[in-house]
């Protein structure tokens, strides 16, 4: 069965610092991987996704993620944090069959002025 | 386009009461989903509907029922609410049928069961 592990339930960075949110997955077949963001009192929205092809994926708001098959990882990065990046971030893997997505437990990002 | 809408936004129930959460999407998506979100547990799938006329259990279906009323609407019913069902409920939709479809989420319903 597929699963997703997000390392760190809370991450705190200073404004302007590098953001790194970690995600590892397990899958017996090539995975399709996603990062979603949830702002307070809102639903989730897609940041970026990996399907096939280029392993470095660029998303909205300056975020990117790199698929590393050998490490079964899909870490999310942003070179310079902004106060507006404070939110909860979810890594997810699409399950075979195309109808179900498995979500990680989430990482809450705090950005300090 | 409104995207995915959910009603109500907030609800307080007493143990044993019933209620239905409503969800509608205007993107002509085939697939719809109900999740619950609890602190530290991410989103867990309750039920999903791959296409109009079909529904299937997800990870945590006990205590819930669903109805795919038509292509637009997918409702979630709690027949006899329990405190363990206190949670935030999200409805989502996707085109479906493709492994890498993104899901579009509604704003959520915050449910408290006393």
């Amino acid at each position: 069965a597929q699963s997703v592990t997000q390392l760190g339930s809370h991450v705190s960075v200073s404004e302007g610092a590098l953001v790194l949110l970690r995600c590892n997955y397990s899958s017996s077949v090539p995975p399709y991987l996603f990062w979603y963001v949830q702002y307070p009192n809102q639903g989730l929205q897609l940041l970026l996704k990996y399907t096939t092809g280029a392993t470095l994926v660029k998303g909205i708001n300056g975020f990117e993620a790199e698929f590393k098959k050998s490490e079964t990882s899909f870490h999310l990065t942003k070179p310079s944090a902004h106060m507006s990046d404070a939110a909860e971030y979810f890594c997810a893997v699409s399950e075979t069959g195309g109808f179900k997505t498995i979500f990680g437990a989430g990482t809450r990002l705090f950005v300090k002025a | 386009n409104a995207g995915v809408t959910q009603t109500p936004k907030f609800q307080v129930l007493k143990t044993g009461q019933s209620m239905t959460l409503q969800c509608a999407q205007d993107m002509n998506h085939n697939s719809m989903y109900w999740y619950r979100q609890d602190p530290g547990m991410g989103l867990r799938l309750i039920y999903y509907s791959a296409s109009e006329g079909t529904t299937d259990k997800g990870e945590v279906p006990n205590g819930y029922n669903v109805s795919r009323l038509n292509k637009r609407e997918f409702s979630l019913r709690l027949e006899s609410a329990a405190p363990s069902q206190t949670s935030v409920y999200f409805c989502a939709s996707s085109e479906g049928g493709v492994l890498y479809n993104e899901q579009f989420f509604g704003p959520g319903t915050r449910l408290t069961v006393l």
Side-chain angles (χ1 to χ4, degrees):
Chain A
Q2 288 158 315
S3 65
V4 176
T5 302
Q6 291 184 238
L7 301 176
S9 59
H10 297 84
V11 170
S12 182
V13 300
S14 298
E15 194 172 20
L18 172 72
V19 175
L20 171 61
L21 305 182
R22 300 178 187 273
C23 173
N24 289 89
Y25 69 91
S26 68
S27 176
S28 58
V29 297
Y32 296 96
L33 297 159
F34 308 81
W35 276 99
Y36 285 84
V37 60
Q38 183 181 31
Y39 297 103
N41 300 313
Q42 294 185 26
L44 280 69
Q45 56 184 279
L46 184 72
L47 263 184
L48 50 81
K49 65 183 178 186
Y50 168 78
T51 56
T52 59
T55 57
L56 182 63
V57 181
K58 295 187 186 299
I60 60 172
N61 300 338
F63 283 93
E64 61 183 37
E66 187 171 10
F67 169 58
K68 291 188 176 181
K69 184 178 178 181
S70 61
E71 298 177 9
T72 61
S73 69
F74 191 56
H75 301 332
L76 181 70
T77 60
K78 182 175 180 178
S80 177
H82 191 273
M83 297 296 288
S84 60
D85 295 327
E88 189 153 22
Y89 293 79
F90 293 91
C91 182
V93 60
S94 169
E95 187 172 280
T96 302
F99 300 115
K100 290 195 280 186
T101 300
I102 309 300
F103 288 85
T107 297
R108 186 168 295 278
L109 176 67
F110 298 92
V111 182
K112 299 174 292 186
Chain B
N1 285 351
V4 179
T5 57
Q6 292 182 236
T7 55
K9 286 188 168 53
F10 301 93
Q11 184 71 49
V12 179
L13 294 177
K14 295 181 180 178
T15 297
Q17 288 184 317
S18 63
M19 78 161 296
T20 299
L21 282 64
Q22 306 286 354
C23 173
Q25 52 92 9
D26 62 3
M27 294 172 283
N28 201 36
H29 284 165
N30 290 310
S31 301
M32 298 185 73
Y33 313 81
W34 277 105
Y35 293 91
R36 60 178 289 172
Q37 182 180 27
D38 301 291
M41 303 189 75
L43 274 74
R44 292 182 292 169
L45 184 64
I46 305 171
Y47 271 93
Y48 68 101
S49 171
S51 60
E52 186 179 358
T54 70
T55 60
D56 285 283
K57 294 178 180 179
E59 187 183 352
V60 288
N62 291 346
Y64 305 96
N65 285 301
V66 291
S67 295
R68 183 75 182 266
L69 304 169
N70 47 56
K71 192 171 186 179
R72 289 188 64 248
E73 298 173 288
F74 188 38
S75 63
L76 178 72
R77 182 160 179 83
L78 287 69
E79 290 291 352
S80 179
S84 61
Q85 294 178 305
T86 293
S87 188
V88 181
Y89 292 85
F90 288 98
C91 178
S93 70
S94 73
E95 288 186 21
V98 182
L99 286 169
Y100 49 83
N101 274 164
E102 76 172 280
Q103 294 186 17
F104 293 81
F105 286 81
T109 295
R110 193 171 296 272
L111 175 67
T112 301
V113 183
L114 303 175

